Amino acid sequence: MPGYSITKDDYAKRLRRIEGQVRGLQSMMENDAYCIDVLTQIASVTKALQSVGLGLLDEHIRHCVREAAEESGVAGDAKVEEAIAAVARLLKS
Amino acid sequence: MPGYSITKDDYAKRLRRIEGQVRGLQSMMENDAYCIDVLTQIASVTKALQSVGLGLLDEHIRHCVREAAEESGVAGDAKVEEAIAAVARLLKS
Amino acid sequence: MPGYSITKDDYAKRLRRIEGQVRGLQSMMENDAYCIDVLTQIASVTKALQSVGLGLLDEHIRHCVREAAEESGVAGDAKVEEAIAAVARLLKS
Amino acid sequence: MPGYSITKDDYAKRLRRIEGQVRGLQSMMENDAYCIDVLTQIASVTKALQSVGLGLLDEHIRHCVREAAEESGVAGDAKVEEAIAAVARLLKS
């Protein structure tokens, strides 16, 4: 299926890869890698994290928000608020 | 009501204010304002725009996504995809 | 010359274009344009603003920071602090 | 000393902490933690990474860019271009 939807296994793989990239950052720093190369790697890790975040947000709206919407208007509104607040935190991070 | 929800009048007011800030940027540049002050103003305009964007996203999920969810699963999925793609563009801008 | 360097006329043109885009946003909202289209336009204006910001930062480091560096170590350090704080504000906006 | 300047030990500590946070994300996902809590943690890791990035950028401008500036105008310009391109990648990540 297209889009941002990711399976649980995919998330595990992506996060292990991100963990490896962060360890890579540590050894770059220990070996006095060139600043700009470290910054490029930081941008890449950040992008990978944001991508995991977008996948989660997709699932969250698809499942939790819609379920709440079907049960009750007020609960659905609270779920939307909560999701938008999470997007705001991602934008400011 | 709490949260990111904004009325149509509020949007109009906010966007007029942002327009004024952009004109302010132009006269800062014409009068050779100090770079850092211009950058601070740019960060402030960007924040104001993102805040309008979050308000729209809130409404969009609250109304369009939920309506689609009630009518049909597939249409709802497409709406969620579309909304997440819009968040991705905001994150990368 | 390559890179982010922009002339004063270019800045004026870009900012007038951004002002026009913000007015475009206002009429989109008045005419009840589709949320996602408005969000796409907001991402585009934000990108244009960030690009102006990067141009200014380029010039600022090229001129102010380097001049200060030549005059005195302490003044140069303060200039670098100030520039990094401006980058931090852009990142969080 | 104030500002974004960080020692090599500090960087190592911060990156180990970030690595721990990414492992925390993995176990949150394994244990089906609530989406919004995972998103909040992702925003926090991103912020920590950006903060390391700003520290590196500070040092980079303070040392590499200024050294290049003293040696030769052209080399200094290239260094500034490179630093601004790195900031652009952080902004878009």
Side-chain angles (χ1 to χ4, degrees):
Chain A
M1 200 197 283
Y4 293 85
S5 203
I6 313 176
T7 69
K8 203 171 165 177
D9 265 10
D10 272 337
Y11 281 120
K13 248 181 250 169
R14 286 184 186 215
L15 286 170
R16 269 199 305 273
R17 209 178 153 254
I18 290 169
E19 191 195 330
Q21 285 180 303
V22 175
R23 265 200 302 271
L25 278 170
Q26 286 169 280
S27 60
M28 283 176 98
M29 296 293 298
E30 271 161 42
N31 299 306
D32 296 306
Y34 184 51
C35 281
I36 297 294
D37 295 336
V38 185
L39 285 172
T40 302
Q41 179 75 349
I42 286 176
S44 154
V45 180
T46 303
K47 206 171 253 175
L49 275 168
Q50 299 273 24
S51 166
V52 168
L54 288 171
L56 286 166
L57 190 69
D58 179 285
E59 266 180 64
H60 183 69
I61 294 175
R62 215 176 283 271
H63 301 296
C64 312
V65 174
R66 279 164 72 181
E67 266 166 43
E70 278 151 33
E71 280 166 25
S72 130
V74 178
D77 279 346
K79 286 283 174 190
V80 175
E81 298 273 340
E82 191 188 51
I84 298 295
V87 173
R89 282 192 296 272
L90 283 181
L91 279 173
K92 268 153 214 161
S93 71
Chain B
M1 203 196 280
Y4 294 85
S5 204
I6 314 176
T7 68
K8 205 172 164 176
D9 265 11
D10 270 338
Y11 280 120
K13 246 181 250 169
R14 284 183 187 216
L15 287 169
R16 269 199 305 274
R17 207 178 155 254
I18 290 169
E19 191 195 330
Q21 284 180 304
V22 175
R23 265 200 301 272
L25 279 170
Q26 286 169 281
S27 61
M28 284 175 98
M29 295 293 298
E30 271 162 41
N31 299 307
D32 295 306
Y34 185 51
C35 281
I36 296 294
D37 295 336
V38 184
L39 286 171
T40 302
Q41 179 74 347
I42 285 176
S44 153
V45 180
T46 303
K47 206 169 252 176
L49 274 168
Q50 299 275 24
S51 166
V52 169
L54 288 171
L56 286 167
L57 191 69
D58 180 284
E59 267 181 63
H60 183 68
I61 295 176
R62 215 175 282 269
H63 302 296
C64 312
V65 174
R66 279 164 70 180
E67 268 166 40
E70 279 152 32
E71 281 166 26
S72 132
V74 177
D77 278 345
K79 286 283 174 190
V80 174
E81 297 273 341
E82 193 188 51
I84 299 296
V87 173
R89 283 193 295 274
L90 283 182
L91 278 173
K92 269 151 212 162
S93 68
Chain C
M1 201 197 281
Y4 294 86
S5 203
I6 314 176
T7 67
K8 202 171 166 177
D9 265 11
D10 272 337
Y11 280 121
K13 248 180 249 169
R14 287 184 186 215
L15 287 169
R16 269 199 305 272
R17 206 175 156 257
I18 290 169
E19 192 196 329
Q21 285 180 302
V22 176
R23 266 200 301 270
L25 278 170
Q26 288 169 279
S27 59
M28 283 175 97
M29 296 293 297
E30 272 162 41
N31 300 306
D32 295 307
Y34 185 51
C35 281
I36 297 293
D37 295 336
V38 184
L39 285 171
T40 302
Q41 179 75 348
I42 285 176
S44 155
V45 180
T46 303
K47 206 171 254 175
L49 275 169
Q50 297 275 24
S51 167
V52 168
L54 288 171
L56 286 166
L57 191 69
D58 180 286
E59 266 181 65
H60 182 68
I61 295 175
R62 215 177 282 271
H63 300 296
C64 312
V65 175
R66 279 163 72 180
E67 266 167 42
E70 279 152 33
E71 279 167 26
S72 132
V74 177
D77 279 345
K79 286 283 175 190
V80 174
E81 297 273 342
E82 192 188 50
I84 299 295
V87 173
R89 281 192 296 273
L90 283 182
L91 279 173
K92 268 153 214 162
S93 70
Chain D
M1 202 196 278
Y4 293 86
S5 204
I6 314 176
T7 70
K8 204 173 164 176
D9 266 10
D10 271 337
Y11 281 120
K13 246 180 251 169
R14 285 183 187 214
L15 286 169
R16 270 199 305 273
R17 209 176 154 256
I18 289 169
E19 191 195 330
Q21 285 180 302
V22 175
R23 265 201 301 272
L25 279 170
Q26 286 169 280
S27 61
M28 284 176 97
M29 296 292 298
E30 271 162 40
N31 299 307
D32 296 307
Y34 185 51
C35 281
I36 297 294
D37 294 336
V38 185
L39 285 171
T40 302
Q41 180 74 347
I42 286 176
S44 154
V45 180
T46 304
K47 206 170 253 176
L49 275 168
Q50 299 275 24
S51 166
V52 169
L54 288 171
L56 286 167
L57 190 70
D58 180 284
E59 267 181 64
H60 182 68
I61 295 175
R62 215 176 282 270
H63 301 295
C64 312
V65 174
R66 279 164 71 180
E67 267 165 43
E70 278 152 34
E71 280 166 28
S72 129
V74 177
D77 279 345
K79 286 282 175 193
V80 175
E81 299 272 341
E82 194 188 50
I84 299 296
V87 174
R89 282 193 295 275
L90 283 182
L91 278 175
K92 268 152 213 161
S93 70

